[in-house]
Amino acid sequence: METKHQTFMKYAIEEALKAKDKLEVPVGAIIVYKDEIIGKGHNLRETLHLSKAHAEMLAIEQANKHLNSWKLDDCSMYVTLEPCPMCAGAIIQSRIKHVFYGADDYKNGVIASGVNVFKGDYSHKVTVTGGILKEEISAMMKSFFKTLRN
């Protein structure tokens, strides 16, 4: 039986597939508040020519607008790939409560790389759970980069 977290991660995967269709790195993110998706995003760096156009950043911006607040205290984020340092900083600053991610990113991530930004001594603590639908997401990432190289 599918868990609530797997269901929400599938929505993040849908976002990642939108990025893949645009030849963007297939990363998708959603933000959930009281079991409702209030923000979503997928990578658009190449499309928008913006360094900060990561899935997480775009989802945070949409959630901020939805709640009319910079604070996302009671929100959770589901993201297909472990966040990078920039996105981790934005997650902390926006006070997201819990981050659920799929695949590890050993090169650019802030957890599996050994530099767990979320364990820093900040005024806001973020709980992190990884590995949700990891195999499916890892396969999508590998397929994307294999196609890109060819």
Side-chain angles (χ1 to χ4, degrees):
M1 181 170 198
E2 186 171 277
T3 69
K4 173 175 88 168
H5 301 305
Q6 290 169 328
T7 300
F8 280 129
M9 187 60 76
K10 285 185 178 181
Y11 285 109
I13 290 170
E14 286 178 17
E15 287 297 311
L17 292 172
K18 292 176 187 176
K20 184 180 178 185
D21 289 344
K22 296 172 185 165
L23 298 179
E24 297 271 0
V25 176
V27 178
I30 64 162
I31 296 179
V32 176
Y33 175 70
K34 296 183 179 178
D35 288 334
E36 176 191 351
I37 297 171
I38 62 164
K40 56 187 176 179
H42 55 276
N43 273 356
L44 289 172
R45 288 193 314 173
E46 300 295 333
T47 303
L48 299 177
H49 306 290
L50 287 174
S51 303
K52 67 177 188 169
H54 286 206
E56 299 97 322
M57 302 293 281
L58 298 171
I60 288 170
E61 188 174 331
Q62 199 175 89
N64 291 145
K65 287 177 183 173
H66 181 86
L67 293 178
N68 196 32
S69 176
W70 64 270
K71 297 179 198 172
L72 302 176
D73 293 295
D74 295 318
C75 296
S76 296
M77 175 182 281
Y78 292 80
V79 60
T80 55
L81 189 66
E82 173 186 350
C84 74
M86 173 181 70
C87 293
I91 289 164
I92 293 165
Q93 290 300 315
S94 62
R95 298 184 179 175
I96 289 173
K97 188 176 189 173
H98 200 133
V99 172
F100 299 90
Y101 74 92
D104 295 323
D105 183 351
Y106 293 101
K107 290 185 180 179
N108 300 305
V110 296
I111 301 158
S113 66
V115 185
N116 192 338
V117 172
F118 294 118
K119 289 195 182 226
D121 190 23
Y122 308 109
S123 59
H124 176 73
K125 299 295 181 199
V126 179
T127 304
V128 180
T129 304
I132 299 170
L133 300 180
K134 179 179 184 171
E135 292 76 20
E136 181 179 340
I137 294 164
S138 294
M140 176 180 60
M141 295 296 287
K142 288 175 187 169
S143 169
F144 172 78
F145 285 110
K146 184 178 179 182
T147 302
L148 199 63
R149 281 190 293 274
N150 292 334

